[in-house]
Amino acid sequence: EILSPPLTTSEDAGGEEEETQQENGRLMLADGVGQRGPKSLTSSSGQQVSNGFTTSTPQSPREGPGTAASSGGTASGNGSSMPLGGLRTLVVQQTSLDRPRETWSKKMDFLLSVIGYAVDLGNVWRFPYICYQNGGGAFLLPYLLMAVFGGVPLFYMELALGQFHRSGCISIWKHICPIFKGIGFAICIIALYIAFYYNTIMAWALYYLLSSFRPTLPWTTCTNEWNTANCNRYMSTDHNVSWSNSSTSPAEEFYTRQVLQVHLSPGLHQLGSVSWQLALCLLFIFTVVYFSIWKGVKTSGKVVWVTATFPYLVLVVLLIRGATLPGAWRGVVFYLKPDWDKLLSTTVWIDAAAQIFFSLGPGFGVLLAFASYNPFHNNCYKDALVTSSVNCLTSFLSGFVIFTVLGYMAEMRQQNVDDVAKDAGPSLLFIIYAEAIANMPAATFFAIIFFLMIIMLGLDSTFAGLEGVITAMLDEFPHILVKRREWFVFGLVCVCYLGALSTLTYGGAFVVKLFEEYATGPAVITVVLLEVIAVSWFYGTNRFCNDIQVMLGFYPGCFWRVCWVAICPCFLLFIIISFLAFPPEVKLFHYQYPQWTTVLGYCIGVSSFVCVPAYMIYHLLNAKGTFRQVPCLHSISLLPHNQLTHKNPVSAIFVALPT
């Protein structure tokens, strides 16, 4: 990196306007930067600090020649010398020889990518289950409170950070506080863990999709080779079939004995062989993923026009179909009937906090990566509100789609809705909903569009998760990887596929559950807690808000500042403490996870988080300076804005140059 020119000055021209073009710049000093608060970055002349974009610096006729520097001095720039008495604007310009950063082709590409990332499989199966389990309509109150005071502020913070610093989750820390750089490496490891198991669920959905191209769906009969004596064909036309506690539906046996084949594995201690059918399905999924992201956001931004919009079309079709089924009203009443007494339970608030956090998805490096490809002055504040609102409304809509069908199933089986809806997670989709679809007219059509929707929902999140890793690594090692992006993406996809092989075994469903409960949840919450503390307490809320004003032209309100400084850390700490105090009881089907698997799960989670303290030790041992200076030493934004004043520009530039 070079500084060119090191000093730029302009003489007082009585109202003339001077355009300063700054390519890939990192720091600009101008009038008014020194003030703090909402007016800190707008001087009487209306000029602003720009981070990498053209800025106009019109001179106010009210200010005299001596406002920028003391008269009588000289400043040299580009081999010229001029009196400091005529100094008007001081610019520190840091340019790079790297290629210009890639940007989204259209604003809608970015919005659909963020929506596609936030709206995933958890919106379809987790939110409806959590909602009815925690008081139905009453659950919406803690859910909305946690969204307003915890989820949305974190969502907004990450979009603003990524857009201002234009960096991935690793290199961004050299602008904020370098000692926390290990957070970026931890995020990348967590993203890999997610890729190891999340795409397997799409492989299951693809298996169902391929099995749906038949006149009779294979999970509707009990005459197949995988069925047992307990199988009961419980179609809506079979009124003489008795359902007992030991009965299993053909949909359940198709899922457990044909797709997963968990009956061939006794548990995690003996996973068994790899299912070649699922291995081929996952290979196809990763092939689609590779050719969607290998060229960057220019290609993935086009793919999301299909993968992000198609699920909404299917949800509307399924909602209309579900509302016309007999017994649908029973499911809706069960879904929304408020139980206000449950609000007194701590579990409800814990579930609400965890649901909104994992639904919006801050802390996975994705929002930082996506926002870094935005134009600098893009209104990320509006984007945060729009996309987070769409995500929450989609979760609410999915509840109606699921519970209208569950009400129909309860009516058909002559059972209570809670007996039908006892399964959570993938079982809700691959067993209960699949069986309900099989009982509908035009079952083949509805099965095809439903499982295609599941694949689309998963693909969006996979695109985003891997793009977060790719952006982070390319920004951290640009001279090595930028020109070899296609090969790097290919290697990353191969690593993810090989890491997912354990989830394709006969006991692979047990591995998926273990990763879901332990490998990602606690680690990413802890990482985000450290991220909020680093930005709000080390980098400084005032500096962060000044950065936002530079981009958007307005200073964040008191609500956002209080959330970033106090409420969000408490929100995340609440989730962490509740997880440690009430560890989840992990069980899948009839398999109770032994105690040693809990230890294994925590070890996997810690393996990613250990990057944070390890890098802190490395940084402290290698950085120069006093212990107090070391944490944020060599940050490009080293000086607070209030110290870069026009009153002493020469001292400001010499202090800033070492960064």
Side-chain angles (χ1 to χ4, degrees):
E1 293 181 333
I2 60 172
L3 293 176
S4 174
L7 195 62
T8 302
T9 61
S10 59
E11 298 186 18
D12 184 6
E16 293 182 0
E17 178 173 306
E18 178 181 351
E19 297 283 343
T20 303
Q21 179 71 26
Q22 183 187 15
E23 294 290 343
N24 295 325
R26 296 305 311 168
L27 183 62
M28 177 175 285
L29 309 181
D31 281 357
V33 180
Q35 306 172 30
R36 296 183 66 177
K39 298 181 180 179
S40 63
L41 298 174
T42 305
S43 67
S44 58
S45 61
Q47 53 193 37
Q48 291 183 333
V49 180
S50 179
N51 184 9
F53 290 84
T54 304
T55 181
S56 299
T57 57
Q59 180 178 342
S60 172
R62 292 178 295 175
E63 297 181 318
T67 58
S70 302
S71 60
T74 60
S76 298
N78 296 330
S80 63
S81 177
M82 64 182 302
L84 282 178
L87 185 62
R88 181 64 190 88
T89 302
L90 175 66
V91 176
V92 174
Q93 189 172 18
Q94 185 179 28
T95 60
S96 174
L97 300 178
D98 297 336
R99 296 184 300 178
R101 190 172 186 82
E102 186 180 12
T103 57
W104 298 97
S105 299
K106 297 179 181 178
K107 173 66 174 291
M108 202 63 187
D109 294 355
F110 166 71
L111 292 178
L112 288 177
S113 296
V114 174
I115 291 173
Y117 161 68
V119 178
D120 63 353
L121 299 176
N123 294 73
V124 178
W125 78 50
R126 181 172 172 81
F127 178 83
Y129 179 82
I130 293 292
C131 187
Y132 97 81
Q133 190 182 45
N134 291 286
F139 176 74
L140 298 179
L141 177 61
Y143 179 77
L144 292 176
L145 288 176
M146 291 296 178
V148 171
F149 291 99
V152 178
L154 291 172
F155 197 85
Y156 177 28
M157 183 190 75
E158 287 218 341
L159 288 182
L161 283 173
Q163 184 169 303
F164 183 83
H165 296 291
R166 303 174 67 78
S167 301
C169 62
I170 298 178
S171 57
I172 194 173
W173 292 102
K174 69 182 179 182
H175 312 309
I176 300 175
C177 193
I179 199 172
F180 287 98
K181 193 175 183 179
I183 290 177
F185 293 106
I187 289 174
C188 292
I189 295 175
I190 292 171
L192 288 178
Y193 288 158
I194 294 174
F196 289 167
Y197 76 87
Y198 189 82
N199 297 280
T200 300
I201 301 175
M202 284 187 286
W204 300 344
L206 180 59
Y207 191 101
Y208 269 85
L209 177 64
L210 297 176
S211 301
S212 299
F213 290 94
R214 304 179 186 180
T216 301
L217 298 177
W219 58 88
T220 59
T221 61
C222 291
T223 58
N224 304 287
E225 59 181 1
W226 60 81
N227 292 125
T228 65
N230 292 328
C231 180
N232 279 334
R233 186 175 180 270
Y234 213 86
M235 301 291 287
S236 56
T237 55
D238 300 330
H239 299 290
N240 57 343
V241 176
S242 59
W243 189 266
S244 64
N245 292 331
S246 61
S247 299
T248 57
S249 65
E252 179 180 353
E253 294 199 346
F254 178 78
Y255 177 59
T256 59
R257 299 179 63 84
Q258 174 63 10
V259 180
L260 303 181
Q261 303 183 67
V262 293
H263 64 288
L264 299 178
S265 171
L268 281 172
H269 61 282
Q270 188 176 341
L271 295 176
S273 304
V274 173
S275 171
W276 65 268
Q277 299 97 325
L278 293 180
L280 291 178
C281 290
L282 186 62
L283 180 63
F284 177 81
I285 293 294
F286 272 118
T287 302
V288 173
V289 169
Y290 173 73
F291 286 107
S292 298
I293 65 175
W294 68 324
K295 292 292 186 181
V297 295
K298 295 291 186 183
T299 55
S300 63
K302 297 295 182 290
V303 176
V304 294
W305 280 83
V306 177
T307 59
T309 57
F310 181 77
Y312 285 96
L313 176 63
V314 176
L315 284 175
V316 172
V317 171
L318 293 176
L319 178 61
I320 296 173
R321 183 66 188 101
T324 61
L325 295 172
W329 63 273
R330 293 178 58 188
V332 174
V333 169
F334 186 79
Y335 172 46
L336 294 180
K337 184 179 178 181
D339 185 359
W340 300 107
D341 293 335
K342 286 198 172 184
L343 295 183
L344 301 176
S345 173
T346 308
T347 305
V348 175
W349 296 87
I350 295 173
D351 288 344
Q355 174 61 26
I356 192 63
F357 175 82
F358 289 109
S359 181
L360 292 178
F364 291 91
V366 174
L367 300 177
L368 291 172
F370 280 170
S372 71
Y373 298 112
N374 274 336
F376 182 74
H377 295 294
N378 172 66
N379 192 343
C380 58
Y381 171 71
K382 181 180 178 181
D383 295 342
L385 296 181
V386 170
T387 52
S388 56
S389 299
V390 169
N391 175 72
C392 295
L393 291 175
T394 303
S395 298
F396 188 63
L397 173 67
S398 300
F400 288 98
V401 174
I402 295 296
F403 274 91
T404 52
V405 172
L406 293 180
Y408 164 66
M409 291 290 293
E411 183 82 7
M412 185 180 64
R413 291 185 179 181
Q414 298 180 354
Q415 292 180 314
N416 295 325
V417 179
D418 55 346
D419 293 330
V420 178
K422 61 183 178 180
D423 290 322
S427 299
L428 184 64
L429 302 180
F430 294 112
I431 297 178
I432 304 300
Y433 210 93
E435 183 179 353
I437 288 176
N439 282 275
M440 297 179 185
T444 299
F445 168 75
F446 284 108
I448 291 173
I449 64 170
F450 175 73
F451 292 111
L452 194 57
M453 178 192 74
I454 298 299
I455 296 173
M456 297 290 185
L457 287 172
L459 283 175
D460 288 334
S461 298
T462 299
F463 295 162
L466 293 182
E467 185 60 51
V469 178
I470 294 166
T471 299
M473 299 303 293
L474 264 62
D475 287 345
E476 183 66 12
F477 308 104
H479 302 295
I480 301 175
L481 299 178
V482 166
K483 295 182 179 180
R484 303 175 179 85
R485 178 189 169 98
E486 292 85 355
W487 287 106
F488 174 70
V489 175
F490 179 77
L492 180 64
V493 169
C494 290
V495 169
C496 294
Y497 182 80
L498 294 176
L501 288 179
S502 62
T503 65
L504 304 176
T505 58
Y506 299 145
F510 304 138
V511 180
V512 171
K513 185 71 172 178
L514 183 71
F515 270 93
E516 184 181 6
E517 293 291 342
Y518 292 106
T520 57
V524 76
I525 297 173
T526 308
V527 163
V528 177
L529 175 62
L530 293 177
E531 179 183 317
V532 174
I533 292 174
V535 173
S536 301
W537 299 358
F538 285 78
Y539 185 71
T541 306
N542 287 332
R543 295 176 66 187
F544 179 51
C545 292
N546 286 338
D547 294 345
I548 294 177
Q549 187 176 16
V550 168
M551 292 190 300
L552 308 184
F554 59 85
Y555 197 82
C558 180
F559 168 77
W560 300 105
R561 300 198 301 272
V562 172
C563 284
W564 291 327
V565 172
I567 297 179
C568 287
C570 293
F571 166 78
L572 296 168
L573 200 59
F574 172 69
I575 302 177
I576 295 172
I577 293 175
S578 63
F579 182 86
L580 296 176
F582 308 102
E585 182 182 357
V586 185
K587 181 181 179 182
L588 184 64
F589 306 125
H590 300 293
Y591 178 67
Q592 186 72 41
Y593 282 65
Q595 191 64 35
W596 65 268
T597 60
T598 303
V599 178
L600 175 62
Y602 278 116
C603 289
I604 297 175
V606 171
S607 66
S608 59
F609 177 74
V610 75
C611 294
V612 180
Y615 188 85
M616 286 182 175
I617 296 173
Y618 168 79
H619 184 78
L620 291 172
L621 293 177
N622 289 274
K624 298 179 180 179
T626 65
F627 183 80
R628 186 177 179 180
Q629 294 171 335
V630 163
C632 292
L633 196 63
H634 305 306
S635 171
I636 286 184
S637 298
L638 178 64
L639 284 177
H641 288 301
N642 64 317
Q643 295 183 23
L644 300 178
T645 65
H646 62 274
K647 295 181 180 179
N648 194 0
V650 177
S651 64
I653 190 171
F654 282 112
V655 173
L657 277 177
T659 65

